[in-house]
Each structure stands twice: as C-alpha cells, then as structure tokens.
Amino acid sequence: MRLVNLRDRADHERRPRSTRLGRIPLEELMRRLVHSYRARLMGLVAAVSLAVAAPGVAVAPSASAAPAAFNASVSVDAGRTTAGIPATGVGMNVAVYDGNMNHPAVPGLLKDAGTGMVRYPGGSYADGYHWQTHTVEGGYVAPGTEFDTFMGTVRAVGAQPIITANYGSGTPEEAAAWVRYANVTKGYGAKYWEIGNEVYGNGLYGATWETDHHASKTATTYATNLVRYATAMKAVDPSIKIGAVLTTPGAWPDGLTGPGDPADWNHTVLSIAGSKIDFVIVHHYPIGNSQADLLGKPRAEIPNMAATLRSLINQYTGSNAPNVGIAVTEVNANAYKNTSPNGLFAPDEYLTWMENGAFTVDWWNLHNGTDCAHVTTVEGATDYDDGGILSSGASCEPPLNTPFPAYHGTRMITKLGAPGDTLVRAVGSTPTVSAHAVRRANGDLGVMLINEDPANDATVTLSYSGFTPSSATPTVFSYRKNAASISSATTGSATRQTVPAYSIVVVQLRPA
C-alpha cells in the first residue's frame, strides 16, 4: 500500500490535505505529502501529454578510471526448488487515463518483457470506474481505453487480464454484469478479479485516498460485501478467481484495529470471507532511504511478508488453503524510478516474490507521466520521477514508449527462464551481489547475478549442487549501467564470471 508518486487519484486528491492525513506514522506521512502534491497533476499529464513526444538524449556512462573488482561467490542448489515460474508471474498495470495504453508498439514491448498478466482499469481509479459507461467518478478517461480495446492488447501480448471490480462506488450486480459480458458474451475467459483497490485507505484508519461510498468503512463491512461480490460474480461464471484486498504485512496500517472491527484488517477480512476467496492481494512500494537501501529491500522484506500472508491463509481458508494464491498487484520503487537503481531492483523484486509463492507481480505502471518538476540525475542518467516503465513522451522525457531501465531489468528475466521452468535456490556470499537461478524444463540452468555496487565490478565464483555444467564457454546476457539495450556474448566460464558495476548478467548453462 505504499503511497508514492505513482498513481493518479484525481477524485481523492481534491480533498483538503487535513482530511486525508489523520493518524499516520511519520514515515507514511512524509510519503503521502510527497504523493498528494504531485499525483493529481501527474494524472493530468498522463492523460493530456502522453502522446507528446520530445527528442530524447541518450545518456552514456561518463568516462572514468577502470573500476576495481571485488570478489564474491554464489552457490546454486539445482535440486532445491523454491517455486515454479507462473505464466502470470511478470505482470503490468495499465490505467484508463493513459491514452497510449493500447498504442501499436505496446503489445510487442510487453511480450518481449515476458508479460503474462495485465491489470485494469488502474489502481484507485478502479473504485470509481463504471465499466458499462467507461467513466470514472471525478476522473479523466482517455479515448481508446475501453475494456474491449484493452482485451485486444492483452490477447496480442498473449497474457491474461486481472480486473479490479469497483467496490468503492459500485455494486455486486455491476461486477457480475462485467463478468457476464467478459466471459459469457465475449468469451474472454477473464479469470482473475480483485474486489476493490487498497480499500483500507477509505478513512477507517484516519487517511482517505480510496473512494468508498459505503456508510460503514470497516473491515467487517468490506468482508461482508466481498462475500456478496463473490457470490454474485461466481453465479455467472463459477470458474473465476476472486481476490481479497489485504494490508501489506509490516506496512501501515497492518496490525491496527479500526473502530467497529473486532481485529485488524487482515484478520477481520479473512475471518469472514476466507472461505469465499481464491487469492489475497497486497502492494509493495518499499521505501529506500538510499540506493543501496532500496536494492536490499526485496531480500529484506519479501520473505517475511510472504510467510505472514501464507500463515493467514492457512489460518482462515481451511482445507482450501493450498489453492489460495498471493497476488502482488502493484510494485515499484519510491525513488530512482527511471534510472539504473530501479533497473536492478525490478528483476530482484519480481523473482523474490515468485520464489516466495506469488503467482503474479504487477509493475506500476505501463505509462504514468510526469510533471517534469522533479527531474534529477542519478548515476549519470536522468530521472524524470515517472512511475511508468515506458516513457510517456512528456516534454522533458525521451520519445513515447522509450523503455526505462526497469523495463530492461524486467526483460532480463526472460533470459533466465520461462513459465514452466523452476526457480531453484541460489545463495551469495555478499549482499552486494544478488542471485537467482532457474532449472529449465530442458535440463539447462540459468543464473542471474545482480551487482549492486555502483562503482566496482564483481568477480563471482559459482559452485553447483545437483547440476554439473558443461565445460563449454557459456552464453552470457548483460544489462549494463545506463545501457539502452541488453547485450550478449560467449564469455567467462560456468564457475567464474565478471559482473560489471551496477549491472545484471544471466549465465545460460548446458549440462555436461
């Protein structure tokens, strides 16, 4: 639920700031102040200027002395599976205020990045969005972003949709009609349906950013209505999967008990609706106080978050617990969004969540826009403070659909493995080098090495258990600091690789 400068909330940000802040810890308050200042303007920029392309200037790494190298080691246990790579694992958000959501270049870009899930209609917009009229209460809807057009893009990508039904200003009947249209009338087979977005931001805990017209804002009310939504929607199509909005473990307002509820949000919602749901939903916007701090967040936060969610699922969903999934339907960094730190963060975030059981991890956002008021330089490149993975084409940005580093970092996952392959255990000797490994269905092994040192190359020694690599020189894919593309070479060996400063390499290995 990290509220950073990422999502358009025009219908909420109109309210006086004093009505939105309430009782919030200082860290959360600071985030909301930053977000509330810029979010509405960014939505307008995204709506009006996404189609405006400006000449882009490629940023090349500055000349410097040859970096020093440090040593690290990585151990891969190819016989220890952590999870399978789900077809829906790499996901993306799109928003109906984005007039370039269905640009002709988008399907190819998303397909190349391995996108298997696309979320619609867009964050908090979902709780004001009425699909039949294609309108948002108090918000802008761009032409050409209707549901059918969106589904055309999803099908061109070869992905599945995940749809957020309108809880805040909608009804179970409206949601059921959407299921009927999507799956009975049109035959889209839309399987995954969330009931609302960040509903706990409805004022229950003293902060209001989410539309919720229900007289009662309690977790009890949400859970009771969630059951009504699930019943109505599954009466139309029993095969669909229904998701419940939870607070992210360890993040505000997790653990707080709101007025009128018997317990905190997660325990209350699951105690009432646990038997009626198919997956739980959280968002992850880790707050990095420095580049190094941000890059350590996936490993520091995700395993505990996922374990807590799985414990809650086991506690409240009974014998169906093994079938209840975890969906992380919004992720991004809080800073360095368009520069190399986020390029390194993206694959680590995706893969760490998948290793810990998430069936989808959905990046916020495809295009998000920027007001061009907070342009900075990070590691020799320009950061536009744009939460999109592709450029919006705003006046200060490169041309429309130019990939930012997070896109290239995400695309590196496709060099590691594919749906149907299995993630296996990989452990590094130093926190500066993050590692992931995949045992491919054909018996090959892929190893991803992420060097989080911005100045020094890493000489990495690799060892293996349960796999004997060929002595042939492996193919290595690289995404280097501030690069505009991924490169490949036949280099190094199965047991020794040089990983340049602030870069990602994937070593593809054949068995002996």
Side-chain angles (χ1 to χ4, degrees):
M1 58 75 61
R2 304 294 195 182
L3 288 184
V4 292
N5 184 15
L6 297 170
R7 287 157 286 181
D8 180 277
R9 302 180 188 279
D11 50 342
H12 312 302
E13 298 302 338
R14 291 177 298 143
R15 302 189 181 108
R17 186 174 293 168
S18 61
T19 67
R20 297 198 306 268
L21 300 181
R23 307 181 311 277
I24 309 176
L26 178 60
E27 179 185 292
E28 193 73 23
L29 174 59
M30 292 174 67
R31 277 174 278 177
R32 292 182 195 283
L33 289 174
V34 171
H35 172 74
S36 64
Y37 177 76
R38 292 179 289 196
R40 188 179 182 189
L41 178 57
M42 288 179 66
L44 180 60
V45 171
V48 176
S49 69
L50 282 175
V52 179
V57 179
V59 179
S62 58
S64 60
F70 66 94
N71 295 323
S73 63
V74 169
S75 300
V76 178
D77 187 346
R80 185 171 175 181
T81 299
T82 58
I85 299 180
T88 53
V90 175
M92 185 64 57
N93 276 272
V94 296
V96 292
Y97 59 73
D98 173 14
N100 288 300
M101 172 205 301
N102 301 299
H103 187 280
V106 164
L109 286 163
L110 290 182
K111 190 169 187 176
D112 286 349
T115 307
M117 184 80 91
V118 188
R119 183 176 183 244
Y120 179 94
S124 291
Y125 251 49
D127 279 316
Y129 179 71
H130 299 284
W131 72 273
Q132 290 161 314
T133 58
H134 192 51
T135 57
V136 172
E137 296 184 18
Y140 171 84
V141 173
T145 61
E146 296 83 1
F147 178 61
D148 287 322
T149 310
F150 158 76
M151 283 303 307
T153 295
V154 171
R155 287 186 156 186
V157 174
Q160 295 186 52
I162 183 167
I163 301 166
T164 309
N166 183 346
Y167 174 81
S169 61
T171 65
E173 292 72 28
E174 181 183 27
W178 199 351
V179 174
R180 180 176 294 105
Y181 177 79
N183 292 353
V184 178
T185 303
K186 303 294 290 190
Y188 289 141
K191 182 177 181 180
Y192 297 99
W193 298 78
E194 301 177 74
I195 309 304
N197 174 81
E198 295 182 356
V199 182
Y200 46 80
N202 61 8
L204 175 65
Y205 300 104
T208 305
W209 68 86
E210 199 75 12
T211 296
D212 186 354
H213 294 335
H214 296 90
S216 168
K217 306 297 190 289
T218 65
T220 300
T221 298
Y222 170 69
T224 302
N225 284 319
L226 172 59
V227 172
R228 293 179 57 217
Y229 271 76
T231 301
M233 295 164 75
K234 287 193 172 186
V236 175
D237 183 353
S239 71
I240 65 172
K241 304 293 186 182
I242 297 293
V245 172
L246 298 186
T247 62
T248 305
W252 188 92
D254 182 48
L256 298 180
T257 299
D261 286 326
D264 65 12
W265 182 276
N266 290 352
H267 286 85
T268 300
V269 169
L270 291 178
S271 67
I272 296 170
S275 64
K276 301 296 184 181
I277 65 168
D278 302 288
F279 61 99
V280 299
I281 303 151
V282 294
H283 295 168
H284 190 218
Y285 291 99
I287 300 301
N289 297 312
S290 67
Q291 293 170 205
D293 187 38
L294 171 68
L295 293 176
K297 292 297 185 181
R299 285 159 286 160
E301 295 186 348
I302 291 171
N304 288 336
M305 288 176 174
T308 299
L309 292 171
R310 184 51 58 188
S311 177
L312 287 165
I313 290 167
N314 290 339
Q315 181 178 354
Y316 289 110
T317 63
S319 60
N320 193 44
N323 302 316
V324 176
I326 297 172
V328 190
T329 58
E330 291 184 23
V331 299
N332 205 326
N334 71 307
Y336 325 117
K337 301 184 187 86
N338 315 122
T339 47
S340 51
N342 214 13
L344 305 184
F345 169 80
D348 214 16
E349 177 79 359
Y350 274 113
L351 290 166
T352 305
W353 270 114
M354 283 189 265
E355 288 163 351
N356 285 275
F359 72 85
T360 190
V361 183
D362 306 331
W363 193 264
W364 185 275
N365 194 9
L366 179 66
H367 305 107
N368 203 62
T370 176
D371 58 14
C372 295
H374 301 274
V375 177
T376 57
T377 300
V378 179
E379 294 296 331
T382 304
D383 193 284
Y384 307 97
D385 197 32
D386 184 340
I389 205 165
L390 303 176
S391 170
S392 69
S395 60
C396 60
E397 289 189 335
L400 174 68
N401 290 325
T402 299
F404 290 130
Y407 174 87
H408 297 300
T410 301
R411 190 171 172 229
M412 285 293 285
I413 298 172
T414 68
K415 309 304 181 186
L416 181 68
D421 297 339
T422 56
L423 290 151
V424 298
R425 184 172 174 81
V427 179
S429 63
T430 169
T432 311
V433 175
S434 180
H436 303 275
V438 166
R439 188 70 181 261
R440 295 189 169 191
N442 66 358
D444 291 354
L445 188 74
V447 182
M448 177 181 285
L449 305 171
I450 305 173
N451 181 359
E452 298 174 3
D453 188 315
N456 301 298
D457 295 354
T459 301
V460 181
T461 301
L462 298 112
S463 61
Y464 306 91
S465 174
F467 179 81
T468 302
S470 166
S471 60
T473 303
T475 299
V476 177
F477 289 86
S478 301
Y479 178 62
R480 297 184 176 231
K481 181 179 179 180
N482 296 338
S485 62
I486 294 169
S487 61
S488 65
T490 303
T491 186
S493 70
T495 58
R496 187 179 177 89
Q497 288 288 330
T498 297
V499 185
Y502 247 38
S503 74
I504 308 165
V505 304
V506 171
V507 187
Q508 295 184 345
L509 300 164
R510 299 297 303 272

